[in-house]
Amino acid sequence: MTHRIFLLRAMKIIPVPVRQDNYAYLLIDETSKKAAAVDPFDVDKVVAAAENLALGVELVAGITTHHHFDHSGGNKVSRFPGVPIYGGSDKIPALTNLVKDQDEFTLGDIHVNFLQRNEPNSRCLATPCHTQDSICYHVTHAVNKGHPGGVFTGDTLFIAGCGRFFEGVGAEMDAALSYLGTLPSSTIVYNGHEYTDGNVAFAKTIEPENKALAKLDELVKNNESTAGLTTIGEEKEWNVFMRLSNATVRRSVEVSADASASVVMDALRERKNSFRG
């Protein structure tokens, strides 16, 4: 799936903690004051975040990464009747606009355009595994070329981790994370849950000598919320689920040197599922 969300003017992305550890996001065109809510489980909290920051934005769309209730549960809120809801399947509550691979759509002043896969600056990606309707939305600024861009990853990619394989298998998660790995290294990660502390602890059991983990460890210690503080390039350095060819990772999960990436992925996920560190 390849989409691109363009903001014709300045872009702002604001993480909004909801539930126990979920993140919703406000995606804002600062000049027009048009905004999209990403995975707005608790719409009141999302709106309050905008009001507390005196942003004066108008919510013109909802963007949903997958159908699980803790991400899509705010879609039916009648506070914004007529607002389009975008997502990857009809399992998503109140869906009005089904998006599939290589679609394009517009959200007021926010434009979502299809570009070919050989143009890695400009993508929104279908990443089935956690759910089969998982969509990761890559956002960039059409005018401000200095903005690094961001990607809303839902429950596919977490900081130093990945989602459970509820509707897929290891080969699909490998494909999904590899696909995300083709985004520019500077792309900022906006993930669906605050799981970073536990993910770092698990990664240390798999790659204890990985020096990149020390940087992430400090990030966790100094920030209650880590959403929007890391990049795709950094994930390639410390996320064991994106490092399946690494010899240390393979030894740690006790697979052969010539085992397929999907075998390594399955072994890692099984260990993470039972990890209590």
Side-chain angles (χ1 to χ4, degrees):
M1 170 170 221
T2 47
H3 296 69
R4 183 180 183 178
I5 297 179
F6 288 96
L7 290 171
L8 294 181
R9 302 175 180 88
M11 179 170 70
K12 179 178 287 186
I13 299 172
I14 300 174
V16 182
V18 295
R19 296 183 80 244
Q20 183 176 353
D21 53 36
N22 280 76
Y23 287 112
Y25 295 93
L26 276 168
L27 171 61
I28 301 170
D29 176 349
E30 291 189 276
T31 302
S32 71
K33 299 300 182 182
K34 303 291 186 182
V38 181
D39 286 351
F41 171 81
D42 189 327
V43 175
D44 288 340
K45 283 189 177 180
V46 174
V47 172
E51 291 175 347
N52 290 341
L53 294 169
L55 298 174
V57 299
E58 177 189 3
L59 191 62
V60 299
I63 298 174
T64 312
T65 60
H66 62 292
H67 69 264
H68 285 167
F69 183 73
D70 58 328
H71 295 260
S72 66
N75 288 357
K76 289 186 176 181
V77 174
S78 60
R79 183 170 180 174
F80 301 100
V83 167
I85 303 295
Y86 294 83
S89 84
D90 58 9
K91 292 182 179 180
I92 290 170
L95 182 80
T96 63
N97 294 68
L98 181 68
V99 293
K100 295 294 185 182
D101 203 19
Q102 305 182 358
D103 283 349
E104 56 183 83
F105 56 91
T106 60
L107 307 170
D109 287 341
I110 303 172
H111 298 267
V112 186
N113 299 311
F114 161 61
L115 290 175
Q116 296 290 340
R117 284 181 179 230
N118 62 0
E119 296 181 277
N121 290 343
S122 316
R123 296 186 183 177
C124 178
L125 314 172
T127 52
C129 183
H130 179 72
T131 66
Q132 288 300 304
D133 61 2
S134 290
I135 304 288
C136 294
Y137 298 87
H138 179 216
V139 297
T140 58
H141 199 294
V143 177
N144 181 5
K145 301 300 183 181
H147 194 289
V151 60
F152 299 106
T153 61
D155 287 1
T156 295
L157 173 67
F158 299 127
I159 298 174
C162 72
R164 290 177 182 260
F165 308 165
F166 286 127
E167 297 181 8
V169 295
E172 288 177 303
M173 184 58 77
D174 176 38
L177 297 184
S178 296
Y179 200 3
L180 290 171
T182 66
L183 292 172
S185 293
S186 60
T187 304
I188 299 170
V189 176
Y190 297 96
N191 53 292
H193 290 266
E194 183 56 55
Y195 291 160
T196 311
D197 192 11
N199 289 342
V200 174
F202 175 70
K204 288 178 179 178
T205 70
I206 301 298
E207 276 194 290
E209 303 302 319
N210 186 342
K211 294 181 180 179
L213 289 171
K215 176 182 176 181
L216 184 55
D217 211 7
E218 284 300 308
L219 191 72
V220 172
K221 290 177 182 177
N222 295 325
N223 296 276
E224 182 177 349
S225 169
T226 59
L229 300 182
T230 67
T231 67
I232 287 292
E234 288 170 324
E235 288 304 311
K236 294 178 183 179
E237 295 178 2
W238 61 46
N239 191 323
V240 294
F241 294 96
M242 298 182 78
R243 296 171 58 78
L244 305 183
S245 63
N246 181 273
T248 301
V249 172
R250 286 173 171 255
R251 284 195 299 270
S252 293
V253 294
E254 300 176 335
V255 301
S256 65
D258 60 352
S260 68
S262 63
V263 169
V264 183
M265 179 66 80
D266 283 329
L268 275 171
R269 186 66 254 182
E270 185 176 349
R271 292 223 178 175
K272 182 62 168 65
N273 290 348
S274 59
F275 180 69
R276 298 293 181 268

